[in-house]
Amino acid sequence: MYISIEDFFRNSESSGYQISPSGAHISYLAPYEGRMNIFVRPAEGGEAVRITSETDRSVAGYMWADDSRLLFMKDTGGDENFRLYGVNLDGSDSRCYTDFPDVRVGILDDLEETPNEILISMNRRHAEVFDPYRLNLQTGELTLLAENPGNIQGWMTDHDGRLRVATAIVDGINTQLLYRDTEDEDFRPVLTTNFKETLNFLEFTPDNRKVYAATNIGRDKMALVLVDPATCREETLLFEHDTYDVSGITYSRCRKKLLSVFCMGHSEPVRHYFDEEEKAFKERLRALFPGKRCGIADMSKDETKYILYVGSDRTRGTYYFYDDTTDVVSHIADTAPWLPEEEMVAMHPVVYTSRDGLRIEAYLSLPKGYALDETNRLVRTDGAPAHPLPVVLHPHGGPWARDRWGFDSSVQFLCNRGYAVFQMNFRGSTGYGRKFLEASYKQWGLKMQDDITDGAEWLKMQGIADANRLAIYGGSYGGYAALAGVTFTPDLYACAIDYVGVSNLFTFMETIPPYWKPMLEMLYEEVGHPQHDYEQLAATSPALHADKIKAPLFIAQGANDPRVNKAESDQMVEALRERGIAVEYMVKDDEGHGFANEENRFDFFRAMEKFLAKHL
């Protein structure tokens, strides 16, 4: 069944469901004139009211401030200088709280127990550093709580909303935790480590005296521990996993207790419960949706009314309302009801080994009518002989991020057009421990790229990929990997697609956002130093070796990208065209690091479809 590009990439019919603190109202994002805006309706049903009317840029994120007011974020043209807005439940009193040019805001604490106030961070005083402020939502008054000396990268509050912890960069390369018992005291350093070692405070204990933290100090995998914040001494090991890092915890504000910890596994999350009541509750919910992933999207303050999100690798997802007092689940909305689940394909978790012995977890999605047997070889579901397929290798961005099992519109689109898609968690992908992460340092275009190449060779060896019809497509770091693939293994790929990717490691580090500059020394350790590692960076910058490229390229770029400057794509295109190499170039003037506006996504994937049809 042919499914249109518009159906794959149009905005969801509704998404981002939340519930008001009292549980009386449900909010969500839905399209209005092609942009995602906020709608509100009674939780028990009834007419929805649109309370925002943004037409230039979609609402990037939102939250309930209290039962009568919502807050939301929006940037301009993809510049990522997010401003904070507020609007009442009925759409009245809409205003911008941080209407400052070239300033980025973030929310530190919603101060659930303090009416009409929240804590935010802003780089208003200096572009490179973020200061904490108390914002009065009624008057708009901003109160500076502490002046960032220039090296603090994050702030943390306790359960009473008091600013107690700061995380700083020292000498550009070391991480330092600063702590104070009360807000009357000055912050004092309590732990300094190399940035490769981590002690990450997650949540204060209910009495605000100790902290639940994730750490890899003295171990390879991030573990959950209980620490004394005044000394950072580890008191109790609460959970650790042999294969995966701890990803996060679930803490109940209402019950004032730690409920569970989880790791992001290969085919499904790994979860450990500290509370039997919570375990029984979650198992009861999951039993309602067999074969699907069921998670809690939001809950009322008293934790009796819930928004559930239910999804899988074959559906963009469905929202349900659950009332724990009555044990009744009711359907709210499908996010993309026009995408038939039976026409979507499965994402198969697979594993291969890199040339130097690393275990690489990956995901393979096949066109409809194909499957994998028990030895991970290609078969056809109708029993006919299976011939190798055209495959799009799709390395993720970051690069210190990861792919995970679940629905992906771009993957489903490519499979619908007859291509297999291969996504690999190459070295440096997060969640696999410190050794796996550090194996990526200063390996852009080298061993990290080898992991991707080894994935291509595995696909050929398994009889999955047609050796003459391999493409590589990625965004951000994945865009760099696509360029590196056709530059440094020029005979491997038939074509490549670079989406907001890095092409020159020297110019990339010269044009990073100002608030990344305190971490520049770390970036030198992770990627390479422009002077000390000059030869390596020169050797692994695709734009400096465009003469090696044989395969056709399609490059897409947002003009306002603050992370990967437009010059990264410009210089690559210029270098290729000077050598007579086929390159298609798409620039969107109203976009940044990726295309958020619906019409631009349509253009990009329409061009991709034509490009792959021609070259793959």
Side-chain angles (χ1 to χ4, degrees):
M1 176 182 175
Y2 177 90
I3 297 173
S4 72
I5 283 173
E6 288 75 15
D7 279 350
F8 277 117
F9 300 108
R10 65 201 258 201
N11 291 328
S12 295
E13 184 170 271
S14 59
S15 64
Y17 278 83
Q18 296 183 28
I19 193 165
S20 63
S22 68
H25 289 87
I26 288 174
S27 56
Y28 59 93
L29 296 172
Y32 166 71
E33 295 192 8
R35 303 291 180 261
M36 298 301 279
N37 277 272
I38 304 173
F39 291 70
V40 177
R41 71 164 177 82
E44 302 300 331
E47 192 72 24
V49 175
R50 175 173 49 81
I51 64 169
T52 63
S53 303
E54 304 301 326
T55 57
D56 60 331
R57 196 81 175 162
S58 290
V59 169
Y62 81 98
M63 60 175 281
W64 286 86
D66 53 41
D67 270 323
S68 62
R69 192 158 180 81
L70 296 94
L71 306 175
F72 66 95
M73 299 273 206
K74 190 170 72 78
D75 73 350
T76 302
D79 64 3
E80 297 186 11
N81 288 319
F82 295 100
R83 298 183 184 189
L84 179 65
Y85 299 78
V87 60
N88 283 341
L89 179 68
D90 60 1
S92 64
D93 191 22
S94 179
R95 55 176 143 151
C96 181
Y97 288 113
T98 59
D99 192 12
F100 312 118
D102 302 321
V103 170
R104 179 184 175 113
V105 66
I107 294 176
L108 292 176
D109 193 326
D110 62 2
L111 299 181
E112 187 179 84
E113 303 300 330
T114 306
N116 303 316
E117 289 186 349
I118 64 167
L119 301 187
I120 64 172
S121 64
M122 282 193 299
N123 58 343
R124 180 185 179 188
R125 187 176 54 84
H126 193 291
E128 294 183 14
V129 299
F130 290 81
D131 300 313
Y133 293 83
R134 185 179 298 273
L135 169 62
N136 185 302
L137 297 174
Q138 284 191 331
T139 66
E141 181 183 2
L142 286 161
T143 304
L144 182 66
L145 299 180
E147 193 167 291
N148 191 332
N151 62 347
I152 292 177
Q153 298 298 302
W155 308 88
M156 181 180 173
T157 58
D158 63 16
H159 294 297
D160 295 326
R162 296 174 300 185
L163 208 59
R164 300 272 303 280
V165 181
T167 305
I169 304 298
V170 182
D171 301 325
I173 202 70
N174 295 319
T175 301
Q176 189 173 76
L177 279 169
L178 300 101
Y179 172 78
R180 61 186 183 184
D181 290 305
T182 70
E183 289 188 317
D184 295 328
E185 300 175 3
D186 292 331
F187 283 104
R188 63 183 185 275
V190 289
L191 179 70
T192 302
T193 63
N194 183 277
F195 76 97
K196 298 175 184 178
E197 292 185 310
T198 301
L199 179 66
N200 182 23
F201 287 4
L202 302 177
E203 193 86 47
F204 274 89
T205 54
D207 60 7
N208 287 323
R209 297 177 63 187
K210 302 295 172 69
V211 168
Y212 302 115
T215 183
N216 65 1
I217 297 175
R219 47 174 66 89
D220 181 57
K221 306 296 187 295
M222 295 285 285
L224 180 65
V225 298
L226 182 69
V227 301
D228 180 348
T231 62
C232 286
R233 186 174 65 86
E234 181 180 319
E235 296 190 347
T236 309
L237 172 64
L238 299 173
F239 178 81
E240 63 182 340
H241 194 272
D242 291 339
T243 307
Y244 303 112
D245 291 326
V246 163
S247 300
I249 61 174
T250 304
Y251 179 89
S252 169
R253 286 185 178 184
C254 180
R255 295 160 59 191
K256 293 182 169 49
K257 66 189 305 186
L258 178 67
L259 301 180
S260 67
V261 58
F262 60 91
C263 307
M264 187 55 63
H266 191 196
S267 58
E268 60 183 359
V270 177
R271 191 175 293 272
H272 174 78
Y273 291 94
F274 300 104
D275 182 81
E276 287 301 316
E277 183 181 339
E278 175 73 2
K279 182 179 180 181
F281 172 63
K282 291 291 181 63
E283 289 177 348
R284 189 167 77 248
L285 289 181
R286 293 189 182 104
L288 298 171
F289 307 101
K292 301 285 179 70
R293 296 271 178 85
C294 174
I296 294 174
D298 201 12
M299 68 186 81
S300 59
K301 186 176 178 180
D302 64 3
E303 298 182 9
T304 62
K305 296 180 173 64
Y306 297 84
I307 302 291
L308 306 181
Y309 173 81
V310 179
S312 73
D313 52 348
R314 301 188 193 207
T315 171
R316 202 184 286 179
T318 301
Y319 286 94
Y320 294 85
F321 178 71
Y322 176 68
D323 189 332
D324 193 33
T325 61
T326 60
D327 195 30
V328 173
V329 175
S330 55
H331 176 269
I332 298 176
D334 298 314
T335 57
W338 51 81
L339 288 177
E341 186 174 347
E342 65 275 9
E343 293 297 328
M344 301 295 105
V345 299
M347 178 182 276
H348 302 279
V350 297
V351 175
Y352 65 95
T353 304
S354 72
R355 66 190 68 182
D356 59 350
L358 284 184
R359 180 181 188 271
I360 308 294
E361 293 187 347
Y363 301 98
L364 177 65
S365 302
L366 300 167
K368 199 167 176 62
Y370 291 86
L372 295 178
D373 66 14
E374 62 278 1
T375 63
N376 283 333
R377 290 195 168 271
L378 190 68
V379 295
R380 284 186 48 157
T381 55
D382 61 4
H387 301 290
L389 295 165
V391 179
V392 177
L393 278 82
H394 186 23
H396 62 72
W400 301 291
R402 64 172 294 164
D403 277 318
R404 60 191 66 192
W405 185 91
F407 185 86
D408 186 312
S409 291
S410 61
V411 170
Q412 293 291 342
F413 156 68
L414 290 167
C415 290
N416 186 258
R417 298 305 190 260
Y419 308 106
V421 182
F422 193 59
Q423 302 162 272
M424 71 299 295
N425 282 322
F426 46 81
R427 72 189 69 203
S429 299
T430 52
Y432 297 97
R434 179 177 169 181
K435 291 177 183 177
F436 193 82
L437 179 66
E438 291 179 23
S440 71
Y441 291 170
K442 296 190 179 181
Q443 292 300 315
W444 286 42
L446 300 170
K447 290 182 180 180
M448 294 170 77
Q449 197 69 30
D450 289 345
D451 291 347
I452 298 169
T453 303
D454 293 345
E457 296 301 328
W458 180 83
L459 290 166
K460 292 191 286 184
M461 182 181 67
Q462 293 295 116
I464 295 166
D466 181 337
N468 296 315
R469 293 193 293 166
L470 283 171
I472 184 167
Y473 150 58
S476 195
Y477 175 84
Y480 167 84
L483 294 175
V486 291
T487 304
F488 307 125
T489 50
D491 298 315
L492 182 59
Y493 298 106
C495 60
I497 300 167
D498 159 29
Y499 181 46
V500 299
V502 173
S503 72
N504 183 325
L505 296 176
F506 296 103
T507 55
F508 163 62
M509 285 189 275
E510 290 171 357
T511 56
I512 59 173
Y515 40 84
W516 284 14
K517 288 182 179 176
M519 298 176 284
L520 192 56
E521 290 295 329
M522 287 187 189
L523 198 62
Y524 292 159
E525 287 284 316
E526 295 165 333
V527 181
H529 193 284
Q531 283 81 47
H532 306 153
D533 302 301
Y534 178 85
E535 291 184 3
Q536 178 183 317
L537 296 187
T540 53
S541 292
L544 304 182
H545 302 278
D547 58 307
K548 296 179 181 179
I549 296 175
K550 303 175 183 178
L553 264 167
F554 169 38
I555 296 177
Q557 177 70 46
N560 306 316
D561 193 336
R563 305 188 210 180
V564 177
N565 192 277
K566 181 174 174 287
E568 291 300 304
S569 293
D570 287 346
Q571 62 185 297
M572 192 74 212
V573 171
E574 183 180 352
L576 290 167
R577 287 178 174 167
E578 283 179 358
R579 290 161 177 79
I581 299 166
V583 58
E584 297 179 24
Y585 191 24
M586 175 182 288
V587 178
K588 294 297 183 182
D589 292 334
D590 57 348
E591 294 287 6
H593 197 58
F595 296 173
N597 292 343
E598 187 179 62
E599 66 275 12
N600 294 331
R601 293 198 300 272
F602 295 163
D603 286 350
F604 172 66
F605 286 102
R606 195 175 291 116
M608 177 192 287
E609 180 175 25
K610 292 178 181 176
F611 179 82
L612 291 175
K614 180 179 180 181
H615 299 294
L616 199 62

